[in-house]
Amino acid sequence: MKEGAASQTVPVDRPVLLAGSTGTIGRAVAQCLVDDGYDLVRLVRRAQTGQSAALGREVVQDIADAGALQRQFEAIRPKAVISCIASASFSARETGL
């Protein structure tokens, strides 16, 4: 737990599911959850070779597949779900194309 944070007991019976953990905000949220002692499951679109196992378990899932997503929820049984999913489209000027 970070210095100055309120003292609390972290529930460990069911994990927190974090969708969108590969972006800038999602990585920061994942790190905060792990630092605070939460059991974290990261829902990702593609396997992340660069992300540390220290940031919780990784589950590869296409969120557009409702049936498969429902099965993941039933298997994981998360205590909470946090979404940091974002989509960005950049103009050719911004991407340098």
Side-chain angles (χ1 to χ4, degrees), residues 3 10-11 17 23 26-27 36 48 58 68 82:
E3 185 177 327
V10 176
L17 178 65
R27 281 191 306 268
D36 283 349
Q48 301 297 303
E58 180 180 276
I82 300 171

Side-chain angles (χ1 to χ4, degrees), residues 47-87:
Q48 301 297 303
T49 57
Q51 291 232 347
S52 169
L55 289 180
R57 292 177 283 155
E58 180 180 276
V59 174
V60 176
Q61 178 63 57
D62 177 3
I63 63 166
D65 184 341
L69 189 58
Q70 178 65 34
R71 288 188 294 279
Q72 288 291 0
F73 271 62
E74 291 169 359
I76 297 168
R77 296 186 60 242
K79 183 171 199 72
V81 176
I82 300 171
S83 176
C84 293
I85 296 173
S87 177

Side-chain angles (χ1 to χ4, degrees), residues 1-80:
M1 187 175 302
K2 294 186 182 200
E3 185 177 327
S7 178
Q8 62 183 8
T9 302
V10 176
V12 292
D13 57 334
R14 291 176 21 210
V16 172
L17 178 65
L18 175 61
S21 67
T22 60
T24 301
I25 295 171
R27 281 191 306 268
V29 170
Q31 189 63 62
C32 286
L33 289 167
V34 169
D35 288 350
D36 283 349
Y38 286 91
D39 177 18
L40 181 62
V41 175
R42 295 180 298 108
L43 194 64
V44 298
R45 189 175 6 182
R46 290 181 289 281
Q48 301 297 303
T49 57
Q51 291 232 347
S52 169
L55 289 180
R57 292 177 283 155
E58 180 180 276
V59 174
V60 176
Q61 178 63 57
D62 177 3
I63 63 166
D65 184 341
L69 189 58
Q70 178 65 34
R71 288 188 294 279
Q72 288 291 0
F73 271 62
E74 291 169 359
I76 297 168
R77 296 186 60 242
K79 183 171 199 72

Side-chain angles (χ1 to χ4, degrees), residues 88-97:
S89 63
F90 300 97
S91 69
R93 179 173 175 235
E94 292 172 308
T95 60
L97 298 175

